[in-house]
Amino acid sequence: MKSLWRALLIYSGAAVLTTWPLAWHPTTLLGAPVGPGDPFLNLWALGWGLHTVVTEPFAILTGAVFNANIFHPATGTLAYSDHLLLQSVALSPLYALTGDVVLCYNVLLLLSLALSALAMHAYVRTAVGVESAAYLAGLAWGFGSYRFGHLLHLQLQSLYWLPLAALVLHRVVAGRRRRDAVVLGGLSLGLTATRRGRGRLLGRLALAAVVAGGVALPVGVVYLRVQQEQGFGRNLFEAAQGEARVSSYLQVPAGNLLYGRTGLLHAPSTSADARGAGPERELFPGFVLLGLAVLGVRAGWRSDTRPLVVAMCVVTVTGLVLSLGPDGVRPLYAFLHRFVFGFQAIRAPARFAVLVMFGLSVLGAVGWRELSRHAHGLGRLLPAPLAAVLFVLAAAEWAHVPTVLAAAPARRTAVGEWLRTAPGTGAVVVLPVGLDSESTPAMVQSLEHRRGLINGYSGQRPEFYAALVDVLSTVPSDESLLTLHDRGVQYVVTAEALPASPDSPLHLRATLDGASVYELVWTPEIEARLAARDGVLPPEPGPIPFKEGDRSEYSVRWEGGVGLEAGRIVVSVEPSRYRFVVGATTAPWVSRFFEADDRFTTVTDARLFPLTHERDQNEGARHVTRGFVYDARAGVVRSGASIDDARMPQAPALPLDGGARDAIAALFFSRTLPLSPGARYQIPINEAGRNLRLDLTVTGVETITVQGQSRQAWRLAPTIRQRVERRRTPAASLWLSDDARRLPLALEVNAAFGRVRMELVSHQDGR
C-alpha cells in the first residue's frame, strides 16, 4: 500500500507538470485548449450533475436528472452526450464546500490523469510483478498522446476504469474473492482458467453480469429511450469522418515537447482537413514503447506471461482495426454497426485507439520486465545507467505541456443573477441561437439560473432544432415571436437591442454588461395580431395530371464519382388519390458507405396542401420513424414518433408558413402549374418543421436523352432559399415531359461533391 501512495504522489506530480499552470490557477483557467465547444459542454454537464447531487440526490435514482434544461422543451437532453454523473457524485463534497464548478472540472481532470496512471500501475504490478514496469505502463497510459490530443474532452480522461476492470478480472480469474466479481460488474476473461476451476469461475462471472446489469440498466434505459424517440445514430459515411488512419499513429498533439513543438510529428492545423489531422488522429504511442511492446510479445510468448501477452495482443489488434473505422476492415465494422447496440452512435471510431494504447502499455511493461531480468537468453542484466536512459527517453516521448489553456468562464454574471431572481418560471433564449458550439457559453451561464434554455449543443440534438434556429434568426419577426410563445419562452437575452414597438410583446427589463434582457408579455390582442401574419402564397393548383396507381421508377447516378448507379427511387400515387409515397434504396456498392431503405408518405387535401407526412428511414442500424401533422388553420406543424402518437397534440409546435407544402406535395403541385418560358413561381416549403422557399423558374422546352431515348421536356430551375444560408445552394435542373402528364423525366443536381442525376427508368399509368 505504501508503494501505491508513492506512485500516486509521482503521478499527481506528472499531472500537475503536464497541465501547468493549471494547478496554480485552478479557478481562473480551464483545463482545455479552448473554452466554448466541448469543454463548455462538459463543464455544463458536470455542473448540472453536481447541483443535482447536492440539491436533489433522488433525481439520480429516478432518472429525472436527465431532463436537463438545454434544447427546451425537449426531455432527456443530458443523455444526448456523456452525462458525467459518477464524477459528479464523487466531486459533490468539493462542490458543496466551494460551489465552484470550474474548480471541480480542473480537479477532475488532474485526478483523472493521476488515477488513470495509478490504475494501470496497480494492474501491471499485479499481472507482471515488476515495480519499474508498472511505472513505465502507468506513465504511458496516463500521459500519452491520446490524453493530450483529447484534452478538450474531459469525458475521455476518465480511463481509470479500464485497467481497474482488468485488475479485478485478473483477481476473479485467479479465484481470490467473491467481492472481486461484484466489482468487476460483467467483464469476463476465462481463457486462462483450468477445467477444474471453470465452473466456479463461471459462477463468479455470472454474479458480475448481474451486478453490471443492475448498475447500468437505469442509465441504459434512458439512453435507449432517447435514441428511439429522436432516432439518433450515424451511418457508415458519417462514422468514416472520425476514423483514424495508420499515419495517425505517427502524429502527436502540438504540446508534445519532443515531437510536437518541433514539428517533427505534428500536422499543423492549417493543413488539417476533415480526415487529416486533429485530436482524433494524434495517436502516437512512442517509439520506445513500441520497441518494448514488440520485445514483450517475442519474449513473453514463451514465459509465464504468455496468457497476458495473448490477451493484450488481441486488445491491441482489435483497437487498431476498429479505430480505422469503416475504411479499415469494412465487413467487420459494418457488422458491428448493424447488430451491436450503441455502435451506430459512434461519431469517432478513432477513439478505439485507447485499446491500442492499453495493450501497448501492458506489452511494453512485459518487454521491460523481460529485458531487465535477462529472460530467455536475451542477454545479461540491463545495466542500470542504460535502463535509466531508456526509461527517461520513453518518458520524454510522452512529455506534453499544453500550448495554451482557456480562460475559465465567469461563475457569476449580471445576466445570470438577474434571471435567477426574476419573476416567473418561463424559459430563456440567448440570441443569436446557433447550431454548433456558439450556444455553449449560454449553457454555462444557465447553471446560474437553471431555467429552461432554448439554446443547446451536444453530441446529438432534437430533430426540431435546425428549424428552430432558422425561425429565431428572424427575431423580432411575427413568426419568431409566435414560436417563442409556443415554446414557453419568457425572457430573451441579446447583445443587440431589439426594435421597440408599442404593440410588441417584447418589453425591455434590464441592460447588464452589454446585454439586454427582454420579457415576453402577451395579451389576447397581440396574440391575435401576430397570428394573422401573411406569407408568400403560391397560385392555386391547375388540372391534376396524375392518377391513382401511377408509379415511376428512377435510377440515381453519381456522375461525379465512379459513374455507377447509386440507388433507385420509386414515386407512386396510392389508391387514395392524394396519398403520395416515395421509396428510396441504395445500390449494394453504395450500401458499403451509406445503406438506406427509406419510405416517405404524404397525404394532402384536394388542393395538394399536406395533412400528414410520415418517414420510415432504415439506414443500416439506424431506424427512424417520424410523423408530422400540418394544421394550416392554426399555422403550425407538430412532430412525433408517428402521426398516431397520442402525444402529438402536446408535441412542440413549429410555425407553418401560409400556403406551405412539404417537399413531396410541392413536387406534385409543381406538375399542375401552367408552364411558359420565363415563368417564375415562389412555393413555400415546410420540410420537417423548417420553413423554406422554393423559387421555380421555367427556362423553356428542350430535347433531352432519357435511357437512350430523345424526349421533349420543359426545363425548370428549382432553387431552395433558406432563412439562414449555411452553405452554397447547389444548382439544379428538373425536366418535366412536354405533354399533359408533366411527368418528371430527370433531375440533376450539381454540388461540391459532384453531379447527381436522377433519371426515369419506367412509368406505369394508373387507372
Side-chain angles (χ1 to χ4, degrees):
M1 183 60 69
K2 183 178 180 180
S3 62
L4 285 179
W5 281 107
R6 181 171 58 249
L8 177 60
L9 182 62
I10 292 173
Y11 294 135
S12 298
V16 169
L17 289 175
T18 53
T19 58
W20 190 260
L22 183 63
W24 192 251
H25 304 283
T27 60
T28 57
L29 293 177
L30 192 67
V34 296
D38 286 351
F40 274 18
L41 166 63
N42 286 319
L43 184 65
W44 166 82
L46 182 65
W48 186 266
L50 287 168
H51 186 273
T52 303
V53 172
V54 172
T55 61
E56 302 175 77
F58 285 105
I60 302 284
L61 301 177
T62 63
V65 64
F66 286 97
N67 293 324
N69 65 336
I70 61 173
F71 298 124
H72 178 82
T75 59
T77 54
L78 187 62
Y80 286 14
S81 189
D82 300 278
H83 54 73
L84 299 177
L85 289 179
L86 290 178
Q87 293 90 334
S88 298
V89 172
L91 288 169
S92 57
L94 177 61
Y95 182 76
L97 288 173
T98 65
D100 193 331
V101 65
V102 170
L103 176 63
C104 292
Y105 180 105
N106 291 329
V107 168
L108 177 58
L109 173 64
L110 294 171
L111 285 177
S112 295
L113 294 173
L115 293 179
S116 294
L118 183 66
M120 177 62 80
H121 182 105
Y123 171 55
V124 169
R125 192 179 68 168
T126 300
V128 178
V130 176
E131 188 79 10
S132 57
Y135 276 107
L136 181 87
L139 291 173
W141 178 248
F143 303 96
S145 292
Y146 181 91
R147 293 283 184 175
F148 295 96
H150 286 286
L151 194 61
L152 73 166
H153 297 130
L154 180 67
Q155 75 277 23
L156 298 184
Q157 302 299 332
S158 302
L159 292 175
Y160 32 76
W161 60 268
L162 187 55
L164 281 180
L167 173 61
V168 178
L169 177 61
H170 180 85
R171 291 180 174 177
V172 169
V173 174
R176 296 185 179 182
R177 295 171 298 189
R178 179 174 296 178
R179 70 183 184 188
D180 290 328
V182 175
V183 176
L184 174 61
L187 295 175
S188 62
L189 181 62
L191 297 177
T192 60
T194 64
R195 180 172 300 177
R196 188 176 70 177
R198 192 168 296 161
R200 185 180 302 172
L201 172 63
L202 291 176
R204 289 194 295 270
L205 293 179
L207 174 62
V210 171
V211 172
V215 172
L217 184 61
V219 173
V221 166
V222 175
Y223 275 86
L224 179 61
R225 174 179 59 79
V226 169
Q227 191 276 335
Q228 291 176 335
E229 288 181 354
Q230 297 294 338
F232 291 155
R234 295 177 173 89
N235 55 50
L236 292 177
F237 176 79
E238 292 171 314
Q241 308 313 302
E243 67 190 14
R245 298 174 174 178
V246 174
S247 60
S248 302
Y249 288 91
L250 287 176
Q251 293 185 23
V252 299
N256 182 281
L257 297 180
L258 194 58
Y259 303 118
R261 292 177 182 264
T262 60
L264 293 176
L265 295 178
H266 176 66
S269 57
T270 54
S271 66
D273 57 49
R275 293 165 57 92
E280 306 296 354
R281 297 171 184 87
E282 296 169 343
L283 307 174
F284 179 58
F287 292 118
V288 174
L289 184 65
L290 284 171
L292 289 173
V294 171
L295 178 60
V297 173
R298 177 186 172 189
W301 193 263
R302 298 180 179 179
S303 72
D304 60 329
T305 58
R306 179 173 180 175
L308 178 65
V309 168
V310 171
M312 290 304 109
C313 285
V314 171
V315 169
T316 303
V317 172
T318 300
L320 176 62
V321 170
L322 294 180
S323 73
L324 300 179
D327 292 330
V329 182
R330 178 168 289 274
L332 172 62
Y333 197 94
F335 175 84
L336 296 172
H337 185 270
R338 174 177 286 276
F339 296 108
V340 177
F341 172 73
F343 237 84
Q344 61 270 24
I346 294 175
R347 180 184 66 84
R351 295 178 186 180
F352 280 110
V354 69
L355 297 177
V356 178
M357 199 63 202
F358 182 83
L360 290 179
S361 298
V362 179
L363 291 173
V366 174
W368 177 268
R369 187 193 80 158
E370 299 301 327
L371 186 64
S372 61
R373 285 190 169 185
H374 131 87
H376 298 288
L378 289 176
R380 62 187 180 83
L381 186 68
L382 191 68
L386 182 56
V389 170
L390 190 63
F391 198 101
V392 170
L393 182 58
E397 290 191 303
W398 303 319
H400 291 73
V401 174
T403 55
V404 64
L405 289 175
R411 266 75 83 206
R412 294 287 184 272
T413 63
V415 171
E417 284 292 303
W418 191 93
L419 290 171
R420 184 177 64 82
T421 58
T425 59
V428 176
V429 63
V430 179
L431 300 179
V433 180
L435 276 174
D436 210 74
S437 59
E438 55 267 22
S439 288
T440 53
M443 292 166 58
V444 173
Q445 186 182 72
S446 76
L447 294 174
E448 300 177 63
H449 56 76
R450 295 180 70 85
R451 291 175 178 268
L453 183 69
I454 294 292
N455 311 68
Y457 169 77
S458 194
Q460 304 283 357
R461 60 177 180 240
E463 49 85 20
F464 64 76
Y465 191 64
L468 190 63
V469 171
D470 282 352
V471 173
L472 296 185
S473 68
T474 65
V475 172
S477 70
D478 292 352
E479 181 183 43
S480 64
L481 294 176
L482 282 173
T483 299
L484 295 176
H485 172 274
D486 292 343
R487 273 170 162 61
V489 174
Q490 184 177 2
Y491 294 104
V492 177
V493 179
T494 176
E496 297 182 3
L498 299 176
S501 172
D503 58 352
S504 171
L506 288 167
H507 293 259
L508 181 63
R509 295 303 190 208
T511 300
L512 307 162
D513 292 342
S516 299
V517 182
Y518 294 83
E519 183 178 5
L520 286 162
V521 181
W522 294 96
T523 65
E525 293 75 19
I526 292 177
E527 292 185 26
R529 181 184 64 79
L530 293 182
R533 66 187 185 278
D534 294 323
V536 175
L537 294 178
E540 288 294 312
I544 300 297
F546 46 82
K547 306 173 184 178
E548 294 179 16
D550 277 6
R551 184 181 185 277
S552 302
E553 184 172 358
Y554 298 85
S555 67
V556 180
R557 187 177 298 272
W558 178 29
E559 298 187 346
V562 295
L564 298 175
E565 182 177 295
R568 289 285 175 116
I569 294 177
V570 176
V571 182
S572 58
V573 183
E574 293 202 339
S576 172
R577 189 179 188 183
Y578 301 110
R579 181 182 177 89
F580 309 109
V581 178
V582 176
T585 57
T586 49
W589 73 271
V590 176
S591 295
R592 298 183 61 201
F593 307 92
F594 173 71
E595 181 180 5
D597 183 6
D598 301 337
R599 180 182 173 92
F600 306 90
T601 304
T602 293
V603 176
T604 74
D605 61 16
R607 298 169 64 204
L608 299 180
F609 285 115
L611 303 175
T612 62
H613 173 72
E614 292 182 277
R615 298 181 171 189
D616 184 6
Q617 296 173 261
N618 298 278
E619 300 170 351
R622 182 173 181 256
H623 183 201
V624 182
T625 58
R626 302 297 299 174
F628 298 85
V629 175
Y630 296 85
D631 187 344
R633 184 181 299 274
V636 298
V637 56
R638 300 181 186 273
S639 67
S642 73
I643 60 172
D644 300 320
D645 190 341
R647 295 171 294 179
M648 186 70 80
Q650 289 76 43
L654 286 166
L656 177 67
D657 278 351
R661 293 173 168 89
D662 75 301
I664 295 177
L667 172 64
F668 282 88
F669 168 72
S670 66
R671 295 173 59 183
T672 72
L673 296 173
L675 302 181
S676 61
R680 296 176 181 272
Y681 299 99
Q682 291 184 336
I683 305 174
I685 302 289
N686 188 282
E687 184 60 21
R690 294 182 65 192
N691 282 310
L692 312 170
R693 192 185 75 216
L694 173 63
D695 290 347
L696 201 60
T697 302
V698 183
T699 61
V701 177
E702 60 186 42
T703 302
I704 64 171
T705 301
V706 179
Q707 298 298 313
Q709 297 182 357
S710 296
R711 302 283 298 270
Q712 290 293 107
W714 285 96
R715 181 174 182 172
L716 287 70
T719 303
I720 295 293
R721 304 296 183 189
Q722 306 179 55
R723 286 189 173 88
V724 180
E725 296 290 347
R726 298 185 178 89
R727 57 181 66 89
R728 183 175 63 87
T729 303
S733 294
L734 171 67
W735 288 270
L736 302 180
S737 63
D738 184 18
D739 55 28
R741 293 184 304 177
R742 293 288 191 264
L743 184 66
L745 300 177
L747 172 66
E748 199 168 273
V749 179
N750 289 288
F753 53 81
R755 185 174 64 176
V756 175
R757 182 178 176 85
M758 187 178 81
E759 192 171 289
L760 181 67
V761 174
S762 65
H763 174 73
Q764 174 183 321
D765 281 324
R767 57 183 175 84

